[in-house]
Amino acid sequence: MRLATWNVNSIRSRADRVVAWLQRSDVDVVALQETKCRDEQFPEDRFRELGYEVAHVGHSQWNGVALLSRVGLSDVQVGFPGMPSWAAKEGLDPAPEARALGATCGGVRVWSLYVPNGRQLGDPHYDYKLAWLEALRVAAGGWLIDDAEAQVALVGDWNIAPQDDDVWDMSVFADSTHVTPAEREAFRAVVEAGYADVVRPHTPGPGVYTYWDYTQLRFPRREGMRIDFVLGSPALARRVSGARIDREERKGKGASDHAPVIVELA
DNA sequence: ATGGTTGAAGGTCAA
């Protein structure tokens, strides 16, 4: 089984490219992030035509996560238990954001995750990011306490560069999010809860990234960040026979700023 | 020039 994750940065502007990518990549399951549309706007027919079942959650032009699967798609769950909401204003009902979608695909519990960006240090969104990650650790850790042999994949855009090697130049990130000790600790806590980065052993660095900013000629200059991850439970990690980052897909006109990440399961 | 690009409910915000 071939499993992928990809922050597409708008599914409507990228649909042709995603279709073409699916046709040449032969993936069974793909988790998408930043679909940037409401459910009724999601071009699901494009993917059903290719044999994929589709689940999506999106409330607005922001966020939005989806799962496409041609090996079954059942028990769809919007958000994980305890997922924090973004409270736009104190006293108002907090708005649940479209950042997590779970489903069972080919026997694997797959979660498409779009971790909050955090914006700037000191911004309320930074605290929200840390709280969101801690809640994810509690929920996902609990799944393995319930069943140590569960096959779980936590995949998506984590908006964290866990190691210095995961950005092209640490000096550029002084006073920036994505690399702070607190964010790295939050990521490490998920790993310690039993979820391993199953891609890195197959794509060693340095200089290996999944995201390149559109500005500053970051991609041709090879100035990127490794922020998209497939974290696997022990039972899932044992099945991983290979992984790659599809850097080719970042090339050319109309590319997302993120590359797809693909894992091969035996 | 404190910039650069992209996408969306765009005439601004988020990434």
Side-chain angles (χ1 to χ4, degrees):
Chain A
M1 182 167 121
R2 191 169 288 159
L3 167 67
T5 184
W6 189 8
N7 178 322
V8 290
N9 185 19
S10 169
I11 191 61
R12 287 178 291 170
S13 70
R14 211 78 61 210
D16 287 346
R17 239 182 128 125
V18 174
V19 165
W21 181 82
L22 286 170
Q23 289 177 320
R24 71 174 182 271
S25 300
D26 200 33
V27 298
D28 298 297
V29 183
V30 58
L32 306 176
Q33 299 86 37
E34 277 208 273
T35 58
K36 289 187 167 177
C37 68
R38 299 186 301 273
D39 289 344
E40 67 270 22
Q41 297 173 307
F42 191 91
E44 67 174 76
D45 290 349
R46 301 292 307 276
F47 308 113
R48 291 198 186 282
E49 286 165 8
L50 299 178
Y52 293 91
E53 292 179 82
V54 178
H56 175 258
V57 57
H59 307 304
S60 70
Q61 75 273 43
W62 309 124
N63 314 314
V65 285
L67 287 164
L68 315 181
S69 173
R70 62 182 189 190
V71 290
L73 195 158
S74 60
D75 301 305
V76 174
Q77 221 177 331
V78 175
F80 54 82
M83 187 180 84
S85 293
W86 170 248
K89 285 184 179 175
E90 206 166 335
L92 296 181
D93 282 342
E97 294 189 311
R99 294 185 177 275
L101 186 68
T104 301
C105 306
V108 178
R109 192 70 187 158
V110 182
W111 282 91
S112 182
L113 303 171
Y114 179 46
V115 175
N117 174 284
R119 300 191 182 180
Q120 310 292 325
L121 301 186
D123 191 298
H125 288 85
Y126 178 79
D127 296 327
Y128 170 54
K129 178 181 193 175
L130 295 177
W132 200 96
L133 285 160
E134 170 61 6
L136 175 63
R137 179 194 67 79
V138 170
W143 301 332
L144 293 184
I145 290 168
D146 293 343
D147 177 6
E149 286 302 305
Q151 296 202 37
V152 185
L154 308 178
V155 313
D157 178 357
W158 291 73
N159 271 315
I160 297 172
Q163 307 289 335
D164 289 357
D165 268 2
D166 296 326
V167 299
W168 79 95
D169 181 354
M170 273 299 289
S171 69
V172 174
F173 290 85
D175 308 316
S176 161
T177 60
H178 293 57
V179 299
T180 64
E183 289 165 287
R184 288 175 166 181
E185 174 57 29
F187 184 88
R188 197 184 61 81
V190 177
V191 174
E192 294 213 335
Y195 294 91
D197 174 354
V198 299
V199 174
R200 189 58 159 180
H202 299 278
T203 61
V208 171
Y209 309 120
T210 64
Y211 161 86
W212 300 260
D213 197 293
Y214 284 125
T215 67
Q216 308 270 96
L217 297 172
R218 290 295 186 217
F219 182 66
R221 290 179 175 168
R222 298 178 178 265
E223 296 172 343
M225 305 171 72
R226 194 173 72 102
I227 56 176
D228 300 270
F229 296 95
V230 175
L231 299 193
S233 66
L236 187 88
R238 285 197 294 272
R239 290 177 60 194
V240 176
S241 59
R244 65 190 185 91
I245 298 163
D246 190 354
R247 193 178 178 282
E248 288 299 307
E249 178 53 39
R250 180 61 179 79
K251 295 180 178 177
K253 190 171 172 58
S256 170
D257 42 3
H258 294 251
V261 179
I262 306 122
V263 167
E264 201 75 46
L265 301 173

